[in-house]
Amino acid sequence: MIDERMVEAINEQINAELYSAYIYYSMAAWLEDQGLDGMARWMKAQTQEELFHADKFFNYVCERGGRVELTAIEGPPTEWDSATAVFEHAYEHEQYVTSRINDLVDLAIELKDHATTQFLQWYVKEQVEEEDNTSTIAEQVKMVEGTGQMLMLDREMGARVFTPSATEEEE
Ligand code: FEO
């Protein structure tokens, strides 16, 4: 049986993952409005990835005999000054998520919950990737925003497709 403190912390993380999905969905809407359809599509794939992260926590809590309790999701920002600002925000947000995952690992260790410590390693690894992806793209967008190359980057980013099985294989 999983400790109630761990369940509560994971429930808060489910909310944080859903909020992440909401932010990226809002970013997709802003990008779409700017005519950057490829980048919007990239953000929609990111949204799906966050829903997948939430669902993975959901399933884990149930598997350990805990109770998933959902709470209100805060409204996301809706305006950004530029596409560069959007992706820099995404990178900052991923750094914040990483700090939250690290806090969860700290709690699991404190509670001597080895199963959860091990389960969380998937997220630890995932966050390395999430930070790397968003920081690389933020740099690329910053380099080309305002030039003709922006359209090429937009087209290239539009090729991203979210595949849950591929994410699972990275375990
Ligand atoms: Fe769920 Fe982008 O971290």
Side-chain angles (χ1 to χ4, degrees):
M1 188 70 186
I2 188 166
D3 191 289
E4 266 314 308
R5 276 171 69 197
M6 199 71 244
V7 172
E8 202 179 309
I10 295 178
N11 273 324
E12 282 169 16
Q13 187 59 26
I14 290 174
N15 182 285
E17 298 291 348
L18 294 174
Y19 178 64
S20 299
Y22 216 19
I23 289 187
Y24 295 138
Y25 207 28
S26 184
M27 287 176 173
W30 188 88
L31 291 163
E32 189 81 48
D33 190 53
Q34 301 293 310
L36 296 165
D37 296 8
M39 292 184 187
R41 192 177 152 94
W42 190 96
M43 275 302 173
K44 280 192 178 181
Q46 188 66 20
T47 302
Q48 286 177 286
E49 190 159 317
E50 297 305 341
L51 295 174
F52 175 79
H53 292 170
D55 194 45
K56 196 174 171 74
F57 275 119
F58 183 114
N59 293 340
Y60 179 73
V61 169
C62 296
E63 200 183 347
R64 295 291 309 279
R67 167 88 162 89
V68 171
E69 283 178 89
L70 302 178
T71 50
I73 303 162
E74 195 188 324
T78 54
E79 295 293 340
W80 288 270
D81 291 336
S82 61
T84 302
V86 167
F87 287 94
E88 282 177 344
H89 185 179
Y91 175 44
E92 268 167 42
H93 185 70
E94 287 303 333
Q95 289 173 285
Y96 164 69
V97 174
T98 299
S99 73
R100 293 192 58 109
I101 297 292
N102 288 341
D103 288 347
L104 284 176
V105 175
D106 288 346
L107 179 63
I109 290 170
E110 185 196 323
L111 295 171
K112 296 185 173 26
D113 181 347
H114 300 294
T116 303
T117 304
Q118 196 183 35
F119 167 75
L120 288 169
Q121 295 314 303
W122 184 87
Y123 288 89
V124 170
K125 195 171 155 221
E126 176 76 358
Q127 281 313 119
V128 172
E129 214 177 284
E130 292 278 79
E131 284 193 30
D132 184 41
N133 287 343
T134 48
S135 70
T136 302
I137 288 167
E139 279 166 26
Q140 288 175 347
V141 174
K142 192 175 181 178
M143 272 191 273
V144 302
E145 189 159 26
T147 75
Q149 285 175 302
M150 187 68 170
L151 279 180
M152 272 169 60
L153 182 59
D154 183 60
R155 206 167 300 151
E156 203 180 295
M157 285 175 65
R160 180 182 178 186
V161 181
F162 173 66
T163 45
S165 55
T167 309
E168 279 294 354
E169 275 162 23
E170 283 158 15
E171 275 187 79

